[in-house]
Amino acid sequence: MEHLVKGIEWAIEEDVDIINLSFGFQKSSAALEDVIKKANRNNIIVIAAAGNTYGFGVDYPAKYSNVLSIGSLNEDLSKAYFSGEGKIDFVTLGTDLKSINNKGAYDYFDGTSFSAAYFTGMISLIISKLSDKEAAYQFINDELKKYAYDLGADGRDNKYGYGLILIKN
């Protein structure tokens, strides 16, 4: 945990716009929660994978209220069987995603870690068009949900959050 906290502190010092945490823990950490709050105070958007908990609760740090928690969908826009439920903010595709494996070759993967990375890429495209870091932080945290394609129960729910964000060029 100490290395993660130091990494986030480094990102704050480097004045990054966005932090992707494509992993999770079952237990909270006061040090992790504090450094994420510090990142937020510096208008850094923090995105985390909800966790591959097979419908059980969301992992930390995604479970923190000031972190965007990303769940996974199948191609038919239903919740992926492995995706956590609970504090979900948004969902993206999370099955059969093409990426590079540990041998440097292309492969296909499933998981909320891949969904979070995909979502982070979309968010980076959105914030690149906004006037400044503070405006980007405010838009993502306050306005983005208005643009989500609602899935499941009307409004925010524990499987799909606010829904799916789609980026159109």
Side-chain angles (χ1 to χ4, degrees):
M1 189 68 63
E2 181 181 333
H3 294 306
L4 174 57
V5 169
K6 285 182 180 180
I8 295 172
E9 287 172 346
W10 176 86
I12 294 167
E13 290 170 16
E14 293 297 313
D15 197 32
V16 302
D17 296 326
I18 191 166
I19 296 173
N20 173 52
L21 302 170
S22 283
F23 52 83
F25 310 102
Q26 287 295 302
K27 293 185 178 184
S28 181
S29 159
L32 178 59
E33 188 172 13
D34 288 346
V35 77
I36 288 173
K37 286 177 184 176
K38 183 178 177 183
N40 292 153
R41 286 192 302 272
N42 284 275
N43 295 312
I44 297 172
I45 300 160
V46 181
I47 298 169
N52 301 334
T53 62
Y54 299 91
F56 292 103
V58 171
D59 284 341
Y60 291 98
K63 200 171 196 174
Y64 296 135
S65 63
N66 55 336
V67 173
L68 294 176
S69 173
I70 310 305
S72 290
L73 296 176
N74 295 310
E75 287 183 10
D76 66 359
L77 303 185
S78 64
K79 185 186 86 64
Y81 71 94
F82 53 80
S83 186
E85 292 183 24
K87 193 257 174 191
I88 301 292
D89 292 303
F90 297 99
V91 290
T92 63
L93 294 177
T95 57
D96 294 323
L97 296 177
K98 190 175 186 179
S99 187
I100 297 174
N101 66 24
N102 62 353
K103 294 179 178 36
Y106 289 109
D107 210 342
Y108 291 88
F109 298 90
D110 297 343
T112 61
S113 292
F114 293 92
S115 297
Y118 182 76
F119 185 84
T120 300
M122 289 190 297
I123 296 308
S124 68
L125 291 173
I126 292 170
I127 66 175
S128 72
K129 299 183 184 328
L130 297 173
S131 60
D132 62 37
K133 188 174 178 174
E134 185 175 348
Y137 181 83
Q138 291 303 321
F139 176 81
I140 297 303
N141 285 288
D142 299 334
E143 303 292 323
L144 187 62
K145 60 187 160 214
K146 296 177 185 175
Y147 299 94
Y149 179 73
D150 194 12
L151 299 166
D154 285 343
R156 190 191 173 285
D157 62 65
N158 289 337
K159 288 184 180 182
Y160 301 100
Y162 293 106
L164 174 66
I165 297 295
L166 298 171
I167 300 296
K168 185 176 169 185
N169 287 344

